[in-house]
Amino acid sequence: MREPKPYWRDVPQELRKQVEHKMAGTIKRATRVFGGYGPTATFRIFLEDGRTIFAKGAGKGSIAENWRVLPMEEAVYREVTAIAPISPRYFGSVSVDGWHLLLLEDLKNAKKVPPWSEAMALQAIRDIAAFHVRGLSEAGKVEEMGSKGVIDNWLNIKNNRDEREYFLGLFQENREDAAAWFDAVIDRLIPIESELMRPDQPWGLIHKDIRSDNLRLQDGSLMLFDWALACRGPLIFDVGFFFPSIEGEGGPTAECLLPAYMHEMAEHGIHFPAFAIHSVAVATAGFFASRAGKPPIPLLPRLRDIQRLQLGPALRWSCNLLGLPQPPAFL
């Protein structure tokens, strides 16, 4: 089931004229583009001169969250130069009442993932490291990452009966074994998760939402889009939350990829304390554990599936790092 998105026919004529003026070309046609998990307005626009552009933003049917983050994403495209080598080109924006679209380079010919190869995944990780190094000087251009919802998920599952039920419900016939596992490890997980935002680790500009539907590989290099959540936060967050996406889609594990990131950062004198690695692994698992078992969200019908996909690898990685028993399989 796909999320609801507006059709090109819903787009006002005035907005179409603004696109043509901005791009100095006549629109031949446009099509809806599906990607991500929300009801954003996304189109591929074909111009008479053969160019294509990608338009994304908010319009008919968009939710409040779309409207909230869109100005933040536009500000990143306009003001943060560190993203240029790793993001589509930004051509500007257009708006009328009820509509606001960003006009971006069309990456239609870039390679989608999955499938992942080890070489592709390692290149993506190295490109993220290069972005992190470039972005250190521009971290002050974005807001600081908030801690709510990222350092308290295991604590909430322990203290809230409904949260616990949602999590254990993922395991179905393995529920009793899952409950025993949870009770055995939860008091180890909570304090480690709470350390994710400690200031005594490398901080800088992060994308904060790296996963396969937010990226392409163009000429072998990583291209990231959906910069709405970019902020100043722990650098390890970007790769830590990305690893389970890669593994869940059949790619290499965090154990394979993390050394490549650490090596690239060390080449620039950036080193990570052990607590940073442990905390991002545990926090990643807690993030998905607190969400994957909850009821579907009507306007984001595929979100729970992708959260379950990432939960398994996140649990495996965090338990492996800490020497904890692995949880039973969930269905």
mmCIF file of all heavy atoms in Angstrom, residues 184-204:
data_model
loop_
_atom_site.group_PDB
_atom_site.id
_atom_site.type_symbol
_atom_site.label_atom_id
_atom_site.label_comp_id
_atom_site.label_asym_id
_atom_site.label_seq_id
_atom_site.Cartn_x
_atom_site.Cartn_y
_atom_site.Cartn_z
ATOM 1 N N ALA A 184 15.975 -9.396 31.443
ATOM 2 C CA ALA A 184 17.370 -9.685 31.759
ATOM 3 C C ALA A 184 18.319 -8.572 31.318
ATOM 4 O O ALA A 184 19.374 -8.381 31.931
ATOM 5 C CB ALA A 184 17.784 -11.010 31.116
ATOM 6 N N VAL A 185 17.956 -7.827 30.263
ATOM 7 C CA VAL A 185 18.911 -6.877 29.688
ATOM 8 C C VAL A 185 18.526 -5.407 29.862
ATOM 9 O O VAL A 185 19.384 -4.527 29.694
ATOM 10 C CB VAL A 185 19.116 -7.139 28.171
ATOM 11 C CG1 VAL A 185 19.557 -8.577 27.923
ATOM 12 C CG2 VAL A 185 17.862 -6.825 27.363
ATOM 13 N N ILE A 186 17.298 -5.129 30.211
ATOM 14 C CA ILE A 186 16.820 -3.747 30.131
ATOM 15 C C ILE A 186 17.609 -2.795 31.030
ATOM 16 O O ILE A 186 17.882 -1.644 30.645
ATOM 17 C CB ILE A 186 15.302 -3.669 30.447
ATOM 18 C CG1 ILE A 186 14.779 -2.256 30.173
ATOM 19 C CG2 ILE A 186 15.003 -4.121 31.865
ATOM 20 C CD1 ILE A 186 14.941 -1.784 28.763
ATOM 21 N N ASP A 187 18.010 -3.259 32.195
ATOM 22 C CA ASP A 187 18.741 -2.360 33.088
ATOM 23 C C ASP A 187 20.173 -2.105 32.627
ATOM 24 O O ASP A 187 20.821 -1.168 33.122
ATOM 25 C CB ASP A 187 18.722 -2.905 34.523
ATOM 26 C CG ASP A 187 17.338 -2.801 35.146
ATOM 27 O OD1 ASP A 187 16.576 -1.894 34.752
ATOM 28 O OD2 ASP A 187 16.998 -3.642 36.004
ATOM 29 N N ARG A 188 20.657 -2.893 31.693
ATOM 30 C CA ARG A 188 21.930 -2.579 31.041
ATOM 31 C C ARG A 188 21.720 -1.564 29.915
ATOM 32 O O ARG A 188 22.558 -0.693 29.675
ATOM 33 C CB ARG A 188 22.556 -3.856 30.447
ATOM 34 C CG ARG A 188 23.189 -4.789 31.442
ATOM 35 C CD ARG A 188 24.557 -4.303 31.938
ATOM 36 N NE ARG A 188 25.480 -3.959 30.868
ATOM 37 C CZ ARG A 188 26.214 -4.808 30.166
ATOM 38 N NH1 ARG A 188 26.110 -6.118 30.398
ATOM 39 N NH2 ARG A 188 27.057 -4.380 29.235
ATOM 40 N N LEU A 189 20.615 -1.689 29.211
ATOM 41 C CA LEU A 189 20.374 -0.853 28.030
ATOM 42 C C LEU A 189 20.060 0.598 28.387
ATOM 43 O O LEU A 189 20.531 1.529 27.713
ATOM 44 C CB LEU A 189 19.228 -1.435 27.202
ATOM 45 C CG LEU A 189 19.414 -2.851 26.661
ATOM 46 C CD1 LEU A 189 18.169 -3.283 25.894
ATOM 47 C CD2 LEU A 189 20.654 -2.939 25.783
ATOM 48 N N ILE A 190 19.284 0.801 29.419
ATOM 49 C CA ILE A 190 18.800 2.154 29.736
ATOM 50 C C ILE A 190 19.929 3.154 29.981
ATOM 51 O O ILE A 190 19.945 4.232 29.374
ATOM 52 C CB ILE A 190 17.812 2.106 30.916
ATOM 53 C CG1 ILE A 190 16.504 1.451 30.457
ATOM 54 C CG2 ILE A 190 17.538 3.510 31.464
ATOM 55 C CD1 ILE A 190 15.523 1.172 31.585
ATOM 56 N N PRO A 191 20.887 2.867 30.855
ATOM 57 C CA PRO A 191 21.939 3.871 31.086
ATOM 58 C C PRO A 191 22.838 4.089 29.876
ATOM 59 O O PRO A 191 23.362 5.200 29.678
ATOM 60 C CB PRO A 191 22.714 3.306 32.282
ATOM 61 C CG PRO A 191 22.410 1.857 32.308
ATOM 62 C CD PRO A 191 21.019 1.710 31.772
ATOM 63 N N ILE A 192 23.029 3.059 29.069
ATOM 64 C CA ILE A 192 23.868 3.217 27.877
ATOM 65 C C ILE A 192 23.164 4.086 26.843
ATOM 66 O O ILE A 192 23.763 4.980 26.240
ATOM 67 C CB ILE A 192 24.242 1.841 27.302
ATOM 68 C CG1 ILE A 192 25.104 1.073 28.300
ATOM 69 C CG2 ILE A 192 24.960 1.985 25.957
ATOM 70 C CD1 ILE A 192 25.384 -0.364 27.908
ATOM 71 N N GLU A 193 21.873 3.840 26.658
ATOM 72 C CA GLU A 193 21.086 4.673 25.734
ATOM 73 C C GLU A 193 21.140 6.145 26.139
ATOM 74 O O GLU A 193 21.229 7.037 25.283
ATOM 75 C CB GLU A 193 19.638 4.187 25.732
ATOM 76 C CG GLU A 193 18.691 5.005 24.871
ATOM 77 C CD GLU A 193 17.251 4.562 25.028
ATOM 78 O OE1 GLU A 193 16.791 4.406 26.194
ATOM 79 O OE2 GLU A 193 16.577 4.366 24.008
ATOM 80 N N SER A 194 21.111 6.416 27.421
ATOM 81 C CA SER A 194 21.047 7.795 27.909
ATOM 82 C C SER A 194 22.313 8.586 27.627
ATOM 83 O O SER A 194 22.322 9.814 27.735
ATOM 84 C CB SER A 194 20.765 7.810 29.416
ATOM 85 O OG SER A 194 21.896 7.340 30.146
ATOM 86 N N GLU A 195 23.412 7.901 27.231
ATOM 87 C CA GLU A 195 24.684 8.586 26.991
ATOM 88 C C GLU A 195 24.835 9.091 25.554
ATOM 89 O O GLU A 195 25.845 9.705 25.220
ATOM 90 C CB GLU A 195 25.844 7.642 27.314
ATOM 91 C CG GLU A 195 25.933 7.267 28.781
ATOM 92 C CD GLU A 195 27.200 6.483 29.080
ATOM 93 O OE1 GLU A 195 27.495 5.526 28.329
ATOM 94 O OE2 GLU A 195 27.896 6.845 30.034
ATOM 95 N N LEU A 196 23.841 8.853 24.720
ATOM 96 C CA LEU A 196 23.980 9.187 23.297
ATOM 97 C C LEU A 196 24.335 10.644 23.050
ATOM 98 O O LEU A 196 25.094 10.965 22.143
ATOM 99 C CB LEU A 196 22.673 8.849 22.562
ATOM 100 C CG LEU A 196 22.629 9.200 21.074
ATOM 101 C CD1 LEU A 196 23.641 8.375 20.291
ATOM 102 C CD2 LEU A 196 21.229 9.011 20.507
ATOM 103 N N MET A 197 23.801 11.552 23.872
ATOM 104 C CA MET A 197 23.976 12.979 23.624
ATOM 105 C C MET A 197 25.107 13.597 24.437
ATOM 106 O O MET A 197 25.214 14.829 24.520
ATOM 107 C CB MET A 197 22.663 13.710 23.915
ATOM 108 C CG MET A 197 21.474 13.220 23.103
ATOM 109 S SD MET A 197 21.625 13.597 21.353
ATOM 110 C CE MET A 197 21.314 15.357 21.386
ATOM 111 N N ARG A 198 25.956 12.786 25.026
ATOM 112 C CA ARG A 198 27.065 13.341 25.802
ATOM 113 C C ARG A 198 27.921 14.271 24.949
ATOM 114 O O ARG A 198 28.207 13.970 23.780
ATOM 115 C CB ARG A 198 27.924 12.211 26.370
ATOM 116 C CG ARG A 198 27.382 11.629 27.664
ATOM 117 C CD ARG A 198 28.175 10.430 28.131
ATOM 118 N NE ARG A 198 29.615 10.673 28.282
ATOM 119 C CZ ARG A 198 30.461 9.801 28.824
ATOM 120 N NH1 ARG A 198 29.993 8.624 29.262
ATOM 121 N NH2 ARG A 198 31.745 10.092 28.932
ATOM 122 N N PRO A 199 28.332 15.413 25.503
ATOM 123 C CA PRO A 199 29.111 16.370 24.711
ATOM 124 C C PRO A 199 30.566 15.983 24.507
ATOM 125 O O PRO A 199 31.243 16.562 23.648
ATOM 126 C CB PRO A 199 29.009 17.656 25.540
ATOM 127 C CG PRO A 199 28.818 17.186 26.950
ATOM 128 C CD PRO A 199 27.995 15.924 26.848
ATOM 129 N N ASP A 200 31.068 15.017 25.283
ATOM 130 C CA ASP A 200 32.481 14.653 25.195
ATOM 131 C C ASP A 200 32.710 13.571 24.134
ATOM 132 O O ASP A 200 33.307 12.521 24.388
ATOM 133 C CB ASP A 200 33.019 14.208 26.552
ATOM 134 C CG ASP A 200 32.182 13.130 27.233
ATOM 135 O OD1 ASP A 200 30.962 13.031 26.921
ATOM 136 O OD2 ASP A 200 32.732 12.396 28.066
ATOM 137 N N GLN A 201 32.229 13.855 22.954
ATOM 138 C CA GLN A 201 32.416 13.026 21.771
ATOM 139 C C GLN A 201 32.339 13.960 20.567
ATOM 140 O O GLN A 201 31.903 15.107 20.694
ATOM 141 C CB GLN A 201 31.327 11.950 21.674
ATOM 142 C CG GLN A 201 29.916 12.528 21.530
ATOM 143 C CD GLN A 201 28.845 11.472 21.333
ATOM 144 O OE1 GLN A 201 28.975 10.608 20.485
ATOM 145 N NE2 GLN A 201 27.789 11.542 22.142
ATOM 146 N N PRO A 202 32.744 13.535 19.371
ATOM 147 C CA PRO A 202 32.676 14.429 18.208
ATOM 148 C C PRO A 202 31.246 14.793 17.828
ATOM 149 O O PRO A 202 30.403 13.921 17.606
ATOM 150 C CB PRO A 202 33.354 13.609 17.107
ATOM 151 C CG PRO A 202 34.237 12.652 17.828
ATOM 152 C CD PRO A 202 33.493 12.290 19.069
ATOM 153 N N TRP A 203 31.007 16.091 17.773
ATOM 154 C CA TRP A 203 29.722 16.627 17.322
ATOM 155 C C TRP A 203 29.944 17.435 16.047
ATOM 156 O O TRP A 203 31.036 17.945 15.798
ATOM 157 C CB TRP A 203 29.121 17.550 18.389
ATOM 158 C CG TRP A 203 28.347 16.854 19.459
ATOM 159 C CD1 TRP A 203 28.773 15.843 20.270
ATOM 160 C CD2 TRP A 203 26.993 17.137 19.858
ATOM 161 N NE1 TRP A 203 27.783 15.482 21.157
ATOM 162 C CE2 TRP A 203 26.681 16.263 20.926
ATOM 163 C CE3 TRP A 203 26.030 18.046 19.422
ATOM 164 C CZ2 TRP A 203 25.432 16.256 21.556
ATOM 165 C CZ3 TRP A 203 24.790 18.052 20.054
ATOM 166 C CH2 TRP A 203 24.494 17.162 21.104
ATOM 167 N N GLY A 204 28.882 17.578 15.260
ATOM 168 C CA GLY A 204 28.977 18.390 14.057
ATOM 169 C C GLY A 204 27.689 18.349 13.271
ATOM 170 O O GLY A 204 26.627 17.987 13.796
#
